[in-house]
Amino acid sequence: ICRGMTSLMETVAQRMGQIEEVFTASLFPSGSVAEGTKTGKPNEFDFIFCLTKFANSCDIVEEEISKTSGLVKARSRTKPPPDEFSHFIDDTGFIITQNVRVVFNELLSMIIREEATWKNSNFVLNGICDGSEDVERPAFSVQVTWMSCRHKQLDISVDMVPAIYPQSWWPRYIETTTMPLMTKAVKDGGCLLLALSQEERGPEEDSEFNFRISCLPAEKTLMVNLPQVTKDAYVLAKVLISNEASPAVTFSGDGVTTKDYVVHPSSVIKSYMLKNCLFHILSEESSLISECQEKMLSGRDLTKFTVNLTIKIFRKLQQLAGEEHMLPVYFLPSQNILNYEDLMIYHNDPEEIQKD
């Protein structure tokens, strides 16, 4: 399934460049399947379309607030910009993210509906969420069904987003030499820039030019190179917050101004939080990686190591989210993963929480 999906997405990317040369793209598989940490069946895929012509023609513009906002802009290196970029760059040379996303979605919508896209494929198209709703979604999504002997008729969702990927680029405020987990391979992975959707943009006047800094390449490089036992601890943590493993909790209202409401752990504790908690632990306790590498753990020791590390992940989450109110992205430490709703959940009175 993974090979078939990658082949399908490569076909889409190639076709996109044929239709609109400025949208020539290289494919960057992301998400848990790409990292080797997927729980359950391979039914969710994420692909980033890295627009190479934009990356080769633009400079990254960081501002004073970039460190805390995680937002930057991209500006053409030449004035005036090449004609092929005229629709995507304003008079001051900045890339208009909305225009990039609109054309990206239009191209995908066209390509996904072409019969040739599905030729020699074991996937059948079931549905499209192409961003044509009133509010544009962060990703262009398609639903497909896998038709083969194994995992027969498995329903699969695929998310696709456009990005600019300047190779080995890091924000200037990141001290790459002081992070224990910053290996050469991780540093070379660097960060990419995700074009914000309408739903993600803020009210600022210049929000149409904003890209969000993402350290996905660095995180993926780190994760795939970690010892399997450390990845197993992260996978176990994800299993424990799933609806199948954890009960929902009910937050009691006062019966007058607020009503009771039910929350499932997986809707509050995101896998990205657990992943970064793991990174923080491994950074603080460097002996953990060497321990599992040197001792060649097996059997009971392997299980004990995995369980203990999983417990540490949740304790780290409790410390950062519940006590410090700050869960930093490991590679972008000024970025807080928690939002307001998360903090409200983490700080409810335990006596008001009851099992559903």
Side-chain angles (χ1 to χ4, degrees), residues 14 16 26 46-47 54 89 98 115-116 121 149 160 166 182-183 191 203 241 265 296 306 330-331 349 352:
Q14 183 180 12
M16 184 178 293
S26 61
D46 301 276
F47 289 91
F54 281 91
I89 297 179
Q98 175 67 8
E115 184 178 348
S121 171
C149 297
M160 294 161 274
M182 184 69 76
T183 63
C191 299
I241 64 169
M296 298 295 289
T306 302
Y330 177 74
F331 288 114
D349 186 345
E352 295 183 356

Side-chain angles (χ1 to χ4, degrees), residues 16 134 199 201 227 272 293 352:
M16 184 178 293
D134 291 338
E199 184 180 39
R201 286 200 300 273
Y272 192 62
Q293 288 176 331
E352 295 183 356

Side-chain angles (χ1 to χ4, degrees), residues 311-324:
I311 293 172
K312 287 186 177 184
I313 289 174
F314 284 107
R315 285 179 175 166
K316 177 59 68 174
L317 178 64
Q318 180 182 30
Q319 172 200 336
L320 296 176
E323 299 171 13
E324 300 180 13

